[in-house]
Amino acid sequence: MPPASSSSAAGHAPTARCPPCGAVPGQRGGPGTEVTKRLLGRAPSTAPARWRPAAPEELGALEAPNMAWRCWAHAWGPRQHRLTVLLEQRQGFRRARPRSEEPPAVTAAEARPGPPDRRRSLCPPPPPPSRAGRPSARRLVKPFLFAVGFTGSAFGSAAIWQYESLKSRVQSYFEAARADWFDKMRPQKRGDFRKQVNSWWNSLTEGQRTVTGIIAANVFVFCLWRLPGMRRFMFTYFTSDPSSRALCSPMLLSTFSHFSLFHMAANMYVLWSFSSSIVSLLGCEQFLAVYLSAGVISTFVSYVAKMATGRFEPSLGASGAIMTVLAAVCTKMPEAKLAIIFLPMFTFTAGSALKAIIAFDSAGLALGWRLFDHAAHLGGALFGMWYVTYGHELIWKNREPLVKAWHEMRTKNTGKGGGGRSN
């Protein structure tokens, strides 16, 4: 039996606890012990969470080192515990599902043609392909026959139109003189809008008046591209592609088609600038025949290049026909001075400009550049050079038999009509 004095003295003594964590030396199952075991890799204790007061006999001098270790573990334990919880949350994210090999289904909204790409806004985005595989080279037979037939019809119609225009000028000469006499006798109206329009129209050159209709047609087709309901129709008939369903009509219609405002403005500016020179060189009727034929021929050259390279992309624009006009003027007047609208201080000869353009388009066709239809540009330039050198003598100079046949047919029809009226 221990002495009573010592027992009673110990019973009144306060319980020794750790100041930082409140742990009792010799106690098992406290928070310090549990954190210590977790840090040492052992299983957590199953002791109850509540602490019991320590008996005096459990206190000893050998428990001081253990108490210090438990206090240190309890002070640093919550940080490790928060780090563990953070890591467990990161590892608890759901893994991404592997991508399926099958392509996603295309909805109706995605199938519609979207807005054009800003990097290549010269041509609209193509619709979903309707043909499978590479088209055969026999598809070029119909475009070739159409190009030949349309070119012959264009020059024949131009020859007849020139005959009719000359005849109407002779007949309307006296009518114009009589109209001028009546205008002098009639009081003049001031501020008449129609008179102002007529005066502006008469101030234009013959070439500018001729290309005004072409520019108006290009503007009208450009407005059709802005209508969403016309998009599929415009793709079918106003873009040229040898793999398309329509082959012949786009060869002519794509000459008046522009999707980009800058593309149309640049082409129409060049056409307006060279209109006076080309019309004075060829005449109004012959110029229109050359312009329309150049659009069809340049598109056919583009068809051939696309079939040879296997790059089937829709093309549109009047660049091929305008290259014919540019090449014809530069070939006939190689020493003429030209300048760029943005750099008017730099001038160069027309012959040098033509050589630079042909070199640029040749490099683009050989290297596979896709910003422009370089094959159509080359086809138009070569056709313009050939026509002013040889074609004018071969085609336009030999129009006399056709004009005579048309004159005889008109005379017979006029004679039959006059005989019937005399009887």
Side-chain angles (χ1 to χ4, degrees), residues 115-152:
D117 189 1
R118 300 301 178 187
R119 294 172 298 178
R120 296 188 60 190
S121 60
L122 298 182
C123 187
S130 58
R131 294 180 53 87
R134 183 171 181 175
S136 175
R138 287 180 291 183
R139 289 179 60 85
L140 295 176
V141 176
K142 289 179 62 177
F144 174 76
L145 296 178
F146 177 79
V148 174
F150 181 83
T151 301

Side-chain angles (χ1 to χ4, degrees), residues 163-236:
Y163 166 80
E164 293 293 337
S165 62
L166 291 175
K167 186 176 180 181
S168 62
R169 288 177 185 175
V170 173
Q171 293 178 353
S172 61
Y173 175 76
F174 298 101
E175 297 178 359
R178 185 170 52 187
D180 292 340
W181 182 78
F182 278 113
D183 290 339
K184 292 179 181 179
M185 298 296 296
R186 186 186 309 169
Q188 301 294 329
K189 297 181 180 180
R190 296 182 178 180
D192 189 4
F193 177 75
R194 184 177 179 181
K195 183 179 180 181
Q196 294 178 0
V197 173
N198 291 334
S199 62
W200 170 79
W201 179 260
N202 294 329
S203 64
L204 299 178
T205 62
E206 185 181 3
Q208 292 174 347
R209 291 196 295 266
T210 302
V211 301
T212 301
I214 299 176
I215 295 175
N218 282 269
V219 173
F220 176 74
V221 176
F222 174 78
C223 294
L224 292 180
W225 275 109
R226 310 274 77 83
L227 302 178
M230 296 289 295
R231 187 64 59 88
R232 187 169 294 275
F233 176 81
M234 300 297 291
F235 268 115
T236 304

Side-chain angles (χ1 to χ4, degrees), residues 373-391:
D373 193 347
H374 299 281
H377 290 187
L378 279 177
L382 294 178
F383 176 71
M385 296 170 61
W386 173 83
Y387 184 81
V388 296
T389 306
Y390 306 103

